[in-house]
Amino acid sequence: MRIGYGWDSHEFKKGLPLKVGGVELEHTHGLAGHSDGDVLLHAITDALLGAIAAGDIGTFFPSEDARWKGADSVVFLRAAMEQVHRAGYMVANVDSTLILAEPKLSPHAKKIQARVAELLRIEPNCVGIKAKTPEGMGTDNAAIAHVTVLLLRRANKPRARMTAAAHAKRGARD
Ligand code: MG
């Protein structure tokens, strides 16, 4: 198994759409960035890539590349999932903490959880969505996301034919 960690921050700007975890939320301000500024999807993408030591979001999607201007961050997450799949892993669970002054995320947590679960191909009860306000941090004009992810080796056909003893040995190694 592998563990991954991701972190991201984006600045609030008036009049932009606000997207968190692939869900658009009603708010006066949105998150500025080269892409759609989805701070949670960016941190999840980095956590996935970090878990398989495949670099980070900028490795695959450089911010100076005009193709990703205003891009839907789901594209980045899907690319990271493809890397995870190719490396022979699948997501077991993900946990996240968002730090932002406004808007209150708890009314939207279930919707964000369901969307992230769908994107990661796991059950909603394997997606932790937590939110805090930035007490004493002076970051009221930013949204910050911290994410950890656990990956498990995918079973494939040759491995499915392995003996129980070989599975036990491999399990100990992973
Ligand atoms: Mg970002």
Side-chain angles (χ1 to χ4, degrees), residues 120-144:
L120 297 179
R121 300 175 214 140
I122 53 180
E123 293 299 317
N125 65 7
C126 296
V127 177
I129 304 289
K130 310 187 300 299
K132 305 181 84 68
T133 49
E135 302 300 319
M137 287 177 63
T139 56
D140 284 12
N141 203 36
I144 294 165

Side-chain angles (χ1 to χ4, degrees), residues 77-136:
L77 184 62
R78 288 212 169 110
M81 284 294 284
E82 176 61 30
Q83 294 297 316
V84 165
H85 186 83
R86 273 195 214 167
Y89 288 91
M90 56 186 268
V91 178
N93 77 303
V94 62
D95 191 19
S96 67
T97 299
L98 286 138
I99 306 166
L100 71 175
E102 285 185 343
K104 208 170 172 43
L105 280 192
S106 52
H108 312 288
K110 278 255 176 297
K111 199 170 174 188
I112 295 169
Q113 181 188 47
R115 180 63 177 141
V116 170
E118 184 186 15
L119 291 168
L120 297 179
R121 300 175 214 140
I122 53 180
E123 293 299 317
N125 65 7
C126 296
V127 177
I129 304 289
K130 310 187 300 299
K132 305 181 84 68
T133 49
E135 302 300 319

Side-chain angles (χ1 to χ4, degrees), residues 7-10 32-43 46 57 73 76:
W7 181 95
D8 196 28
S9 74
H10 281 267
H34 188 66
S35 65
D36 64 4
D38 193 324
V39 70
L40 178 57
L41 292 193
H42 293 181
D46 265 359
I57 194 167
S73 297
F76 308 152

Side-chain angles (χ1 to χ4, degrees), residues 1-5 45-56 60 79-90 149-153:
M1 66 181 74
R2 296 289 187 99
I3 190 169
Y5 168 73
T45 300
D46 265 359
L48 291 169
L49 294 172
I52 53 167
D56 61 23
F60 294 87
M81 284 294 284
E82 176 61 30
Q83 294 297 316
V84 165
H85 186 83
R86 273 195 214 167
Y89 288 91
M90 56 186 268
V149 65
L150 186 72
L151 304 184
L152 296 176
R153 271 223 179 267

Side-chain angles (χ1 to χ4, degrees), residues 2-20:
R2 296 289 187 99
I3 190 169
Y5 168 73
W7 181 95
D8 196 28
S9 74
H10 281 267
E11 190 178 8
F12 279 104
K13 289 256 165 74
K14 201 177 166 107
L16 292 177
L18 174 61
K19 279 174 91 175
V20 178

